[in-house]
Amino acid sequence: MVRVPVAAPHHIRRASATLARRYRALRPRPAAELVPAPRPWLRTLGMAAVVLLGAWLGLLAVGDVRVPVGPMDTTMTLRPSLTGGTKINVSPLGDLRLNSHEAPVRLDVTVDQLDPVRAQALVDHPERISGLQQEIAHDVAHGTLDLAVRSCVAVVLGATGLALAVYRRPRRALAAGGLALALLAVSGGTAYATWNPKSVLEPKFSGLLSSAPSLVGNARNIVTEFDVYQKELARLVTNVTKLYDVTSTLPAYEPDPTTIRVLHVSDIHLNPASWKIIASLVEQYRIDVIVDSGDTMDHGTAAENGFLDPIADLGAPYVWVRGNHDSRTTQRHLERMKNVHVLDDGRAVTIAGLRFAGTGDPQFTPDRSVAPGGDRAEELAGARLAAALRDQKAAGTPVDIAIAHEPVAARETDGEVPLVLAGHVHHEATEIMKYGTRLRIEGSTGGSGLRAVERPDPDPIETSVLYLDRDTRRLQAWDEIRLGGLGRTTAEVARHLVEDNRPGTGATPGATPSAATPSTRPERFPRDPRADHALNRFGEPSPHPICFSRPRGAGRRPGGPIALIV
């Protein structure tokens, strides 16, 4: 019997371990990889982008509400905006913009159409007009509430749906919807906290009327088609002022016996279209007196005098001071015209219950044979005007409005008169000077004249309507009217209130003083809360130069919302 040797177990284990080592040595080793660290701020930024985009898409999709407001059918919409406010679209005439609130959302109200049945009902039953304001207030409140509810639903659904499509996780989608709802709630709270329903006192209209020519063209076209252009432009301003008057029925400043309305024009520079525009404004605003602060002509020659003939048919007294483009020949021609009052060397005149005084420009720049005197000459002319104002005050006939062509001369009257008007610089501006006199500078009512065609962007046609209280003869508000320059058809009308005449400050425009409510200036016009300034000598707050452009705190008198009837 042969015995076979058996390997020892430890020898077998050793051989297996050796084979395993060789196998592992032959296998390729995996390359080392870096695992990126998580970045939570990227996820947060992505979620914010999804929420904002989804909320915006939701508002665009289902954020509109159709609301009948009085006799009109309107559409209310919330839109993302950096400035907030309210925009009222009256297609195709243009839109009204109100500084109603400050929030990242804007309220758009589109007037779709005038319902003929409801409009005819108002015509057949005029007694219903007295309750129209309450009806409109109810309609607007109901529409706003409906819009808020629909906007919440639209925002949540938009953000949730987009997050679900991007992340494919229900939990993140629900989180996005909650964030969108919180964002809308914060925006609504901000709008509520800054809501200013009184902003309707200072609307701004802008629009484009297709009935006016889109372009006048070159100088030859202006000569051949200028008559058509000026007629269309006159119709443009007529339609704009009608729309503005209808859509902002302001009891405090609508033409009535309690206000004196002054149309301020300047720097016409031989533009014949200006007379059509002025005549339209005189009729629409029932102007009591027109004030021209100079540069009506361009070269001041006798051959240009025929350009002044339409002044006699404007329908209101015309107060004029000489500008640096108006010669003495021009002045003598105007002095012989009926209903024209030429003021020079501090001469004063009373028209429509207002006392005016003015001086002509001491320089006539088209005459190259005489060296211009510069600002020094203007300051001397302004000093003579200020002395004349002091003499009028000493004689018991204080002046209400002073007039000079150059703002340099006008500034010399600071402290001697409540209001001074000027022009010359071809752009409008307003400031209260150091001693309380308000300086109102008018732009070019002629769009800088026919020379404007030499530039690619012509100057706009600017003028303004000043509202003065008939009892106190103090400025209450003014409307800035701005039309596109030669060949343009845009138009803007913006209302501005005097700082101390806003409702809530104790002033009641047009109110007659009584024993129970004395009309002393310090009581009617309290101290400006924005700055610690004493009242000036006219009883008005006297801040240092400040431009009033759509002041934020402006308000309207009590009595409900304004009816928009077009």
Side-chain angles (χ1 to χ4, degrees), residues 456-495:
D457 296 318
D459 293 337
I461 296 174
E462 294 180 308
T463 182
S464 58
V465 178
L466 313 178
Y467 301 88
L468 292 94
D469 185 272
R470 190 171 293 276
D471 296 324
T472 63
R473 300 187 302 279
R474 294 295 183 263
L475 182 67
Q476 302 291 299
W478 70 92
D479 287 348
E480 291 176 6
I481 301 172
R482 180 186 176 98
L483 304 178
L486 290 173
R488 305 296 177 84
T489 56
T490 57
E492 293 183 356
V493 183
R495 171 154 296 177

Side-chain angles (χ1 to χ4, degrees), residues 324-566:
N324 62 293
H325 281 263
D326 303 318
S327 65
R328 297 281 181 173
T329 301
T330 302
Q331 180 165 317
R332 287 191 293 268
H333 181 79
L334 282 168
E335 287 172 344
R336 294 191 294 267
M337 294 183 65
K338 184 180 179 180
N339 213 29
V340 176
H341 304 269
V342 176
L343 303 183
D344 198 6
D345 298 324
R347 176 173 175 257
V349 63
T350 299
I351 305 170
L354 295 174
R355 187 79 171 163
F356 297 88
T359 187
D361 198 294
Q363 306 178 88
F364 179 53
T365 53
D367 186 1
R368 303 300 182 183
S369 63
V370 178
D375 288 350
R376 180 57 180 166
E378 301 293 342
E379 291 170 356
L380 291 176
R384 289 192 294 269
L385 177 58
L389 295 175
R390 287 190 292 270
D391 293 340
Q392 291 288 332
K393 188 183 300 183
T397 56
V399 171
D400 303 309
I401 300 177
I403 312 166
H405 177 67
E406 255 270 7
V408 175
R411 287 189 171 89
E412 295 299 313
T413 66
D414 188 13
E416 305 299 337
V417 67
L419 176 65
V420 60
L421 305 179
H424 183 69
V425 294
H426 294 191
H427 64 81
E428 66 85 23
T430 301
E431 71 176 82
I432 296 180
M433 295 184 286
K434 182 178 180 180
Y435 298 108
T437 294
R438 184 184 299 272
L439 171 61
R440 171 71 188 152
I441 303 174
E442 191 54 72
S444 174
T445 310
S448 298
L450 296 180
R451 292 173 300 168
V453 300
E454 299 172 359
R455 297 184 296 272
D457 296 318
D459 293 337
I461 296 174
E462 294 180 308
T463 182
S464 58
V465 178
L466 313 178
Y467 301 88
L468 292 94
D469 185 272
R470 190 171 293 276
D471 296 324
T472 63
R473 300 187 302 279
R474 294 295 183 263
L475 182 67
Q476 302 291 299
W478 70 92
D479 287 348
E480 291 176 6
I481 301 172
R482 180 186 176 98
L483 304 178
L486 290 173
R488 305 296 177 84
T489 56
T490 57
E492 293 183 356
V493 183
R495 171 154 296 177
H496 301 265
L497 296 182
V498 172
E499 184 73 6
D500 53 12
N501 187 48
R502 299 176 184 171
T505 61
T508 304
T512 303
S514 62
T517 57
S519 60
T520 55
R521 305 299 289 177
E523 292 181 8
R524 290 191 62 197
F525 302 103
R527 186 171 58 187
D528 187 350
R530 299 178 304 172
D532 188 15
H533 294 286
L535 300 177
N536 62 33
R537 66 185 66 188
F538 309 112
E540 300 172 343
S542 179
H544 287 285
I546 175 173
C547 179
F548 295 103
S549 178
R550 295 178 60 85
R552 180 182 172 192
R556 69 182 291 271
R557 297 175 63 183
I562 287 174
L564 300 180
I565 305 176
V566 181

